[in-house]
Amino acid sequence: MAEGTPDNVAAASVPAANPAGKAGIVESVELGPKVTLLLEHDALVVHDRSSNKSRRTSCPPMGHSHTNTRSIPLYNILWAELTPDSQTLTVDYAHEAKSTKLRAAQLSLPVPATASVPQMTTFLATLLSRSYGRARQRKRAYVIINPNAGPGEADKLFEREARPILEAARMPLTVVTTTHRGHAAELARDLDLGAYDVVVACSGDGLPHEVFNGLGSRPDARAALGGMPVVMLPCGSGNAMACNLFGTHRPSLAALAIVKGVDTPFDLVSVTQEGSGRKLSFLSQSLGLIADLDITTEHMRFMGSTRFTVGFAWLVWKKNLYPCDLAVKVEIDHKDAVREHYRSRVEGGDGENGESGEAAPKSDRESDATRTATPGHDEDGGLPPLRYGTVQDKIPEGWEIIKHEKLWSFYCGNMAYMSPGLDFFPAAMANDGLMDMVIVDGPVSAMKAIEIQLGVESGQYFDHPLVKYRKVSAYRLIPRVEDPNGIISIDGEKADFKAFQAEIHPALGRTLSKVGGYENPGPKHWDKVANYERLLA
Ligand SMILES: Nc1ncnc2c1ncn2[C@@H]1O[C@H](COP(=O)(O)OP(=O)(O)OP(=O)(O)O)[C@@H](O)[C@H]1O
């Protein structure tokens, strides 16, 4: 990569997870009389006072206004080392070719014979440690590619946009391509947990769903789900998982986020439905408008995310309603209390965004006294027992029962973004032990539907009067009508149109994220909850 290297390096993103210690210059090495490497708070700075720059480096000047000073954000640094003969120092980094695309590049500097190799080695170790922060270096990745995801280019996207970045970060890769639906679940079920540090699904949200379920079907399900981070390299049409954890649906930016990703415990949801056993859901469950949108537009996958815009217009015009009954274990019942919950976790937690430190609400914590065993699951190592039984059991005491004669949309989420820019669950958190439930009853006029939809993009949706937003720990949804064409969607995959029950398992799963939680900004004005609202909450 010595040739054709970039003429500037800009921050691809702020390295929030990688605090670099004290502000200003913290370490430096001289490469002869004219080249100095400085480790600053958030960047590696190269000062080159040589008259013949091209002899000294593969990169033209960049960054600061001075022509022979260049700066590489620490977040973008993938690797740094001395060649075995100690004559060259190389720095691999992700160069921002465009705001939407990174490219692996390398800085290569001759080391003078007079240089101290131990000092260089210490400097490089410091550089790597500050560049990675809490993220594990050289993660061994098990990469699963769905060649059918999105417009069908996942394999090419991986090779072109992700592999060079992951390899430059010296990540050992094992790459497998799926041959059929369900293949990723089989691979996850049989995975050698000790041989890998992360499973990377190159796909849309369907493959991570399979991987979580594959890990969940193992006799050692709890250890597998809790110990093996699952991430997505976005190659599908929705790519919600990458939007939430990495703040992007661009494969090369996500590849860097995987390299620098920090361990993030993450809630998972059990769903039971008569005749189809117990499934894990990591993203959402829906019935009504959103479910129809997800599933009936599958044949338009070639359009990428445009399929959702086209499908939305069609469904709003159809004005369908979906009568059903809901039984729900409500934990937080009104929007200001949801805001307050969000604020207290962000401000009170010990993670980068306050997510990782706090326990779930009392009623949602795992308690041996309230657990009921689930047939078919090993009490010791398998999935945690279901606290509320299955959809076939009696509705548990204390659940609120609500009849929705004219339901327009039922949507329950565990993540915030459901596709790029669509923050459907602005108060969702990675490990607060709660699901965010949104209900809109109909009929909803085309004008109001568009208003709600635009509100999802602008952040006004949370406060829209037609949007009922709560935090819950379990629920049962029972459609009133039998409809062979009816649609229930679990993580974007079609489920049978019949009653189902869901309950959350706090921090059962594990993933990687940029900041230890989700990237969305939270419900509008979460940080401005008035004192009287806090008291009421
Ligand atoms: N080799 C394969 N052949 C056919 N189907 C596959 C194969 N591998 C995986 N699948 C299935 O493809 C479906 C869609 O996968 P995925 O979610 O990756 O893409 P997508 O639907 O385009 O993206 P998104 O979920 O973001 O909309 C999943 O249900 C998955 O089980």
Side-chain angles (χ1 to χ4, degrees), residues 400-439:
E400 197 180 310
I401 297 173
I402 311 153
K403 293 189 186 309
H404 290 278
E405 310 287 344
K406 294 177 179 170
L407 182 88
W408 185 65
S409 176
F410 170 90
Y411 206 5
C412 195
N414 195 33
M415 289 191 156
Y417 292 112
M418 290 295 131
S419 61
L422 296 184
D423 191 359
F424 272 100
F425 301 101
M429 305 192 97
N431 47 48
D432 69 348
L434 296 171
M435 295 175 270
D436 290 35
M437 181 180 281
V438 171
I439 293 179

Short mmCIF file of all heavy atoms in Angstrom, two decimals, residues 400-439:
data_model
loop_
_atom_site.label_atom_id
_atom_site.label_comp_id
_atom_site.label_asym_id
_atom_site.label_seq_id
_atom_site.Cartn_x
_atom_site.Cartn_y
_atom_site.Cartn_z
N GLU A 400 -51.20 -6.60 32.88
CA GLU A 400 -52.30 -5.75 32.45
C GLU A 400 -52.88 -6.34 31.16
O GLU A 400 -52.12 -6.73 30.26
CB GLU A 400 -51.71 -4.36 32.17
CG GLU A 400 -52.69 -3.25 32.09
CD GLU A 400 -51.95 -1.93 31.82
OE1 GLU A 400 -50.96 -1.63 32.53
OE2 GLU A 400 -52.35 -1.24 30.88
N ILE A 401 -54.22 -6.42 31.08
CA ILE A 401 -54.82 -6.98 29.86
C ILE A 401 -55.54 -5.87 29.12
O ILE A 401 -56.37 -5.15 29.70
CB ILE A 401 -55.77 -8.14 30.21
CG1 ILE A 401 -54.93 -9.25 30.86
CG2 ILE A 401 -56.50 -8.67 28.97
CD1 ILE A 401 -55.69 -10.39 31.42
N ILE A 402 -55.18 -5.68 27.86
CA ILE A 402 -55.72 -4.55 27.09
C ILE A 402 -56.29 -5.09 25.78
O ILE A 402 -55.62 -5.85 25.06
CB ILE A 402 -54.62 -3.52 26.75
CG1 ILE A 402 -53.82 -3.18 28.03
CG2 ILE A 402 -55.20 -2.26 26.13
CD1 ILE A 402 -52.42 -2.74 27.76
N LYS A 403 -57.51 -4.67 25.48
CA LYS A 403 -58.12 -5.09 24.20
C LYS A 403 -57.86 -4.00 23.17
O LYS A 403 -58.18 -2.84 23.41
CB LYS A 403 -59.62 -5.30 24.38
CG LYS A 403 -59.92 -6.47 25.30
CD LYS A 403 -61.39 -6.81 25.30
CE LYS A 403 -61.71 -7.89 26.33
NZ LYS A 403 -60.88 -9.09 26.26
N HIS A 404 -57.28 -4.39 22.07
CA HIS A 404 -57.05 -3.42 20.98
C HIS A 404 -57.95 -3.83 19.81
O HIS A 404 -57.59 -4.69 19.01
CB HIS A 404 -55.57 -3.43 20.56
CG HIS A 404 -54.67 -2.84 21.58
ND1 HIS A 404 -54.47 -1.48 21.72
CD2 HIS A 404 -53.93 -3.42 22.55
CE1 HIS A 404 -53.63 -1.25 22.71
NE2 HIS A 404 -53.29 -2.41 23.23
N GLU A 405 -59.13 -3.20 19.77
CA GLU A 405 -60.10 -3.56 18.72
C GLU A 405 -59.60 -3.13 17.34
O GLU A 405 -59.88 -3.77 16.34
CB GLU A 405 -61.45 -2.85 18.96
CG GLU A 405 -62.02 -2.98 20.37
CD GLU A 405 -62.56 -4.38 20.64
OE1 GLU A 405 -62.77 -5.12 19.66
OE2 GLU A 405 -62.75 -4.72 21.82
N LYS A 406 -58.85 -2.01 17.32
CA LYS A 406 -58.45 -1.44 16.03
C LYS A 406 -56.95 -1.16 16.00
O LYS A 406 -56.53 -0.04 15.73
CB LYS A 406 -59.22 -0.14 15.78
CG LYS A 406 -60.72 -0.36 15.61
CD LYS A 406 -61.44 0.94 15.45
CE LYS A 406 -62.92 0.66 15.25
NZ LYS A 406 -63.72 1.87 15.32
N LEU A 407 -56.19 -2.17 16.30
CA LEU A 407 -54.74 -1.96 16.31
C LEU A 407 -54.23 -1.66 14.91
O LEU A 407 -54.59 -2.33 13.94
CB LEU A 407 -54.05 -3.23 16.83
CG LEU A 407 -52.54 -3.09 16.94
CD1 LEU A 407 -52.14 -2.53 18.30
CD2 LEU A 407 -51.86 -4.44 16.74
N TRP A 408 -53.38 -0.65 14.80
CA TRP A 408 -52.77 -0.31 13.51
C TRP A 408 -51.33 -0.82 13.49
O TRP A 408 -50.87 -1.37 12.50
CB TRP A 408 -52.80 1.22 13.35
CG TRP A 408 -52.32 1.73 12.03
CD1 TRP A 408 -52.89 1.52 10.82
CD2 TRP A 408 -51.17 2.58 11.81
NE1 TRP A 408 -52.18 2.18 9.84
CE2 TRP A 408 -51.13 2.85 10.42
CE3 TRP A 408 -50.21 3.16 12.62
CZ2 TRP A 408 -50.15 3.66 9.84
CZ3 TRP A 408 -49.24 3.97 12.06
CH2 TRP A 408 -49.22 4.21 10.67
N SER A 409 -50.64 -0.65 14.64
CA SER A 409 -49.26 -1.13 14.68
C SER A 409 -48.86 -1.52 16.10
O SER A 409 -48.99 -0.72 17.03
CB SER A 409 -48.32 -0.04 14.16
OG SER A 409 -46.99 -0.47 14.28
N PHE A 410 -48.38 -2.74 16.24
CA PHE A 410 -47.75 -3.20 17.48
C PHE A 410 -46.28 -3.43 17.17
O PHE A 410 -45.94 -4.15 16.21
CB PHE A 410 -48.38 -4.51 17.97
CG PHE A 410 -47.60 -5.15 19.10
CD1 PHE A 410 -47.89 -4.83 20.41
CD2 PHE A 410 -46.55 -6.02 18.84
CE1 PHE A 410 -47.15 -5.39 21.46
CE2 PHE A 410 -45.81 -6.59 19.87
CZ PHE A 410 -46.11 -6.26 21.18
N TYR A 411 -45.40 -2.81 17.98
CA TYR A 411 -43.98 -2.92 17.69
C TYR A 411 -43.25 -2.95 19.03
O TYR A 411 -43.41 -2.05 19.87
CB TYR A 411 -43.55 -1.68 16.89
CG TYR A 411 -42.35 -1.86 15.99
CD1 TYR A 411 -41.73 -3.08 15.80
CD2 TYR A 411 -41.84 -0.76 15.29
CE1 TYR A 411 -40.65 -3.21 14.94
CE2 TYR A 411 -40.76 -0.89 14.42
CZ TYR A 411 -40.17 -2.11 14.26
OH TYR A 411 -39.10 -2.24 13.41
N CYS A 412 -42.48 -4.01 19.25
CA CYS A 412 -41.75 -4.12 20.51
C CYS A 412 -40.28 -4.30 20.16
O CYS A 412 -39.94 -5.18 19.36
CB CYS A 412 -42.29 -5.30 21.32
SG CYS A 412 -41.76 -5.24 23.02
N GLY A 413 -39.41 -3.48 20.76
CA GLY A 413 -38.02 -3.49 20.32
C GLY A 413 -37.02 -3.60 21.45
O GLY A 413 -37.27 -3.20 22.58
N ASN A 414 -35.86 -4.13 21.06
CA ASN A 414 -34.75 -4.31 21.99
C ASN A 414 -33.58 -3.43 21.55
O ASN A 414 -32.59 -3.31 22.26
CB ASN A 414 -34.36 -5.80 21.94
CG ASN A 414 -33.48 -6.23 23.07
OD1 ASN A 414 -33.61 -5.71 24.17
ND2 ASN A 414 -32.60 -7.17 22.80
N MET A 415 -33.70 -2.86 20.35
CA MET A 415 -32.70 -1.92 19.84
C MET A 415 -33.43 -0.67 19.41
O MET A 415 -34.67 -0.67 19.32
CB MET A 415 -31.95 -2.53 18.65
CG MET A 415 -31.02 -3.65 19.05
SD MET A 415 -29.92 -4.11 17.69
CE MET A 415 -28.57 -4.84 18.60
N ALA A 416 -32.72 0.40 19.14
CA ALA A 416 -33.35 1.68 18.84
C ALA A 416 -33.63 1.83 17.33
O ALA A 416 -34.78 1.91 16.90
CB ALA A 416 -32.47 2.82 19.33
N TYR A 417 -32.56 1.84 16.53
CA TYR A 417 -32.74 1.98 15.08
C TYR A 417 -33.22 0.65 14.49
O TYR A 417 -32.67 -0.41 14.81
CB TYR A 417 -31.43 2.35 14.39
CG TYR A 417 -30.91 3.73 14.72
CD1 TYR A 417 -29.76 3.90 15.48
CD2 TYR A 417 -31.57 4.86 14.26
CE1 TYR A 417 -29.28 5.16 15.77
CE2 TYR A 417 -31.10 6.14 14.56
CZ TYR A 417 -29.95 6.28 15.31
OH TYR A 417 -29.48 7.52 15.61
N MET A 418 -34.21 0.73 13.62
CA MET A 418 -34.66 -0.48 12.93
C MET A 418 -34.14 -0.51 11.49
O MET A 418 -34.23 -1.51 10.81
CB MET A 418 -36.18 -0.60 12.97
CG MET A 418 -36.68 -0.89 14.37
SD MET A 418 -36.14 -2.52 15.01
CE MET A 418 -35.50 -2.10 16.62
N SER A 419 -33.65 0.60 11.02
CA SER A 419 -32.89 0.69 9.77
C SER A 419 -32.23 2.07 9.81
O SER A 419 -32.51 2.86 10.73
CB SER A 419 -33.77 0.47 8.54
OG SER A 419 -34.77 1.44 8.47
N PRO A 420 -31.35 2.40 8.86
CA PRO A 420 -30.59 3.64 8.99
C PRO A 420 -31.49 4.86 9.20
O PRO A 420 -32.40 5.10 8.42
CB PRO A 420 -29.82 3.73 7.66
CG PRO A 420 -29.72 2.31 7.20
CD PRO A 420 -30.97 1.64 7.65
N GLY A 421 -31.22 5.60 10.25
CA GLY A 421 -31.95 6.84 10.52
C GLY A 421 -33.33 6.66 11.11
O GLY A 421 -33.98 7.64 11.47
N LEU A 422 -33.82 5.43 11.22
CA LEU A 422 -35.18 5.21 11.74
C LEU A 422 -35.12 4.72 13.19
O LEU A 422 -35.02 3.53 13.47
CB LEU A 422 -35.94 4.24 10.85
CG LEU A 422 -36.20 4.74 9.42
CD1 LEU A 422 -37.05 3.75 8.64
CD2 LEU A 422 -36.87 6.12 9.42
N ASP A 423 -35.17 5.72 14.10
CA ASP A 423 -35.02 5.47 15.53
C ASP A 423 -36.40 5.20 16.13
O ASP A 423 -37.00 6.04 16.77
CB ASP A 423 -34.38 6.74 16.14
CG ASP A 423 -33.91 6.53 17.57
OD1 ASP A 423 -34.09 5.43 18.09
OD2 ASP A 423 -33.38 7.49 18.14
N PHE A 424 -36.89 3.99 15.91
CA PHE A 424 -38.25 3.63 16.34
C PHE A 424 -38.36 3.49 17.86
O PHE A 424 -39.44 3.65 18.41
CB PHE A 424 -38.68 2.30 15.70
CG PHE A 424 -39.32 2.46 14.35
CD1 PHE A 424 -38.61 2.24 13.20
CD2 PHE A 424 -40.65 2.86 14.26
CE1 PHE A 424 -39.21 2.40 11.96
CE2 PHE A 424 -41.25 3.02 13.02
CZ PHE A 424 -40.53 2.79 11.87
N PHE A 425 -37.26 3.16 18.52
CA PHE A 425 -37.30 2.97 19.98
C PHE A 425 -36.22 3.85 20.60
O PHE A 425 -35.18 3.35 21.05
CB PHE A 425 -37.08 1.48 20.31
CG PHE A 425 -38.11 0.59 19.68
CD1 PHE A 425 -37.83 -0.13 18.54
CD2 PHE A 425 -39.40 0.51 20.22
CE1 PHE A 425 -38.78 -0.94 17.93
CE2 PHE A 425 -40.36 -0.30 19.62
CZ PHE A 425 -40.06 -1.03 18.48
N PRO A 426 -36.47 5.16 20.64
CA PRO A 426 -35.41 6.07 21.07
C PRO A 426 -34.92 5.84 22.48
O PRO A 426 -33.80 6.23 22.81
CB PRO A 426 -36.05 7.46 20.93
CG PRO A 426 -37.49 7.25 20.64
CD PRO A 426 -37.68 5.85 20.18
N ALA A 427 -35.72 5.18 23.33
CA ALA A 427 -35.28 4.95 24.71
C ALA A 427 -34.68 3.56 24.92
O ALA A 427 -34.35 3.19 26.05
CB ALA A 427 -36.45 5.17 25.67
N ALA A 428 -34.53 2.79 23.83
CA ALA A 428 -33.99 1.43 23.98
C ALA A 428 -32.54 1.49 24.46
O ALA A 428 -31.78 2.37 24.06
CB ALA A 428 -34.07 0.70 22.65
N MET A 429 -32.18 0.53 25.31
CA MET A 429 -30.80 0.45 25.81
C MET A 429 -30.34 -0.99 25.71
O MET A 429 -31.14 -1.93 25.80
CB MET A 429 -30.74 0.93 27.26
CG MET A 429 -31.31 2.32 27.42
SD MET A 429 -30.96 3.05 29.02
CE MET A 429 -29.52 4.02 28.62
N ALA A 430 -29.01 -1.16 25.55
CA ALA A 430 -28.49 -2.50 25.27
C ALA A 430 -28.73 -3.46 26.42
O ALA A 430 -28.99 -4.64 26.20
CB ALA A 430 -27.00 -2.42 24.96
N ASN A 431 -28.65 -2.97 27.65
CA ASN A 431 -28.77 -3.93 28.76
C ASN A 431 -29.52 -3.32 29.95
O ASN A 431 -29.09 -3.45 31.09
CB ASN A 431 -27.39 -4.46 29.17
CG ASN A 431 -26.39 -3.33 29.33
OD1 ASN A 431 -26.65 -2.33 29.97
ND2 ASN A 431 -25.23 -3.50 28.73
N ASP A 432 -30.66 -2.69 29.67
CA ASP A 432 -31.46 -2.20 30.81
C ASP A 432 -32.49 -3.24 31.25
O ASP A 432 -33.30 -2.99 32.16
CB ASP A 432 -32.13 -0.85 30.51
CG ASP A 432 -33.23 -0.91 29.45
OD1 ASP A 432 -33.34 -1.96 28.78
OD2 ASP A 432 -33.96 0.08 29.29
N GLY A 433 -32.48 -4.42 30.62
CA GLY A 433 -33.38 -5.48 31.05
C GLY A 433 -34.83 -5.22 30.72
O GLY A 433 -35.72 -5.82 31.33
N LEU A 434 -35.08 -4.34 29.74
CA LEU A 434 -36.46 -4.00 29.39
C LEU A 434 -36.63 -3.93 27.88
O LEU A 434 -35.69 -3.59 27.16
CB LEU A 434 -36.83 -2.64 29.99
CG LEU A 434 -36.83 -2.57 31.51
CD1 LEU A 434 -36.99 -1.13 31.98
CD2 LEU A 434 -37.94 -3.44 32.09
N MET A 435 -37.86 -4.24 27.43
CA MET A 435 -38.20 -4.05 26.02
C MET A 435 -38.99 -2.74 25.90
O MET A 435 -39.71 -2.37 26.83
CB MET A 435 -39.10 -5.18 25.53
CG MET A 435 -38.44 -6.53 25.52
SD MET A 435 -39.62 -7.85 25.06
CE MET A 435 -40.28 -8.33 26.66
N ASP A 436 -38.85 -2.08 24.78
CA ASP A 436 -39.61 -0.85 24.53
C ASP A 436 -40.81 -1.23 23.66
O ASP A 436 -40.64 -1.84 22.60
CB ASP A 436 -38.75 0.19 23.82
CG ASP A 436 -37.67 0.75 24.74
OD1 ASP A 436 -37.15 0.00 25.58
OD2 ASP A 436 -37.37 1.95 24.63
N MET A 437 -42.01 -0.88 24.14
CA MET A 437 -43.22 -1.29 23.41
C MET A 437 -43.94 -0.06 22.87
O MET A 437 -44.24 0.87 23.63
CB MET A 437 -44.15 -2.07 24.34
CG MET A 437 -45.40 -2.56 23.65
SD MET A 437 -46.47 -3.48 24.79
CE MET A 437 -45.66 -5.06 24.82
N VAL A 438 -44.21 -0.08 21.57
CA VAL A 438 -44.91 1.03 20.93
C VAL A 438 -46.20 0.52 20.30
O VAL A 438 -46.17 -0.43 19.52
CB VAL A 438 -44.02 1.67 19.84
CG1 VAL A 438 -44.81 2.69 19.03
CG2 VAL A 438 -42.81 2.33 20.46
N ILE A 439 -47.30 1.17 20.67
CA ILE A 439 -48.59 0.77 20.09
C ILE A 439 -49.27 2.00 19.50
O ILE A 439 -49.30 3.07 20.12
CB ILE A 439 -49.49 0.14 21.17
CG1 ILE A 439 -48.87 -1.20 21.60
CG2 ILE A 439 -50.92 -0.07 20.66
CD1 ILE A 439 -49.61 -1.93 22.65
#
